[in-house]
Amino acid sequence: DSTEMDYDKVAAAITEKTKAIIKNEKDICQLLTDKGYKECFCEIDGEHMKVVVKLKDATSKDANKIIKLIHNKYNGYIIEVKFVED
């Protein structure tokens, strides 16, 4: 049945896209931990990226630094950075 074949193709494409997103999320956290940030969480949803970083006494300069680090490697996302202390 051609409908089943189409469904399988769509499911495979979604799975590959999801794997790519998860890899990017992990790579972004690795990029930030390599730069000295202790803990990181990243979530990509379409063109939006939310990044949560553990950093005490964070300022807007810290947020700008993180956004620049990510933009250098992953351009095209709307990036939101949040900080948590503990």
Side-chain angles (χ1 to χ4, degrees):
D1 185 62
S2 67
T3 308
E4 275 185 36
M5 284 177 48
D6 290 345
Y7 175 80
D8 289 344
K9 285 180 187 175
V10 169
I14 290 171
T15 301
E16 285 306 308
K17 188 173 183 179
T18 301
K19 283 181 187 175
I21 289 169
I22 292 169
K23 182 183 183 317
N24 284 346
E25 291 170 345
K26 287 181 180 178
D27 289 350
I28 287 163
C29 283
Q30 187 62 54
L31 172 73
L32 295 178
T33 53
D34 288 349
K35 293 292 182 181
Y37 296 98
K38 287 184 174 57
E39 290 183 40
C40 166
F41 172 79
C42 178
E43 180 183 22
I44 297 172
D45 184 11
E47 60 189 32
H48 291 85
M49 180 187 299
K50 293 180 184 172
V51 181
V52 180
V53 177
K54 189 173 181 178
L55 184 64
K56 196 172 176 145
D57 302 323
T59 66
S60 59
K61 284 185 179 179
D62 294 306
N64 287 335
K65 189 189 294 185
I66 288 170
I67 289 169
K68 283 181 182 175
L69 281 170
I70 294 169
H71 256 286
N72 286 340
K73 197 165 185 188
Y74 299 92
N75 205 341
Y77 288 102
I78 297 165
I79 302 169
E80 176 186 339
V81 178
K82 290 185 180 177
F83 295 101
V84 293
E85 290 196 3
D86 260 335

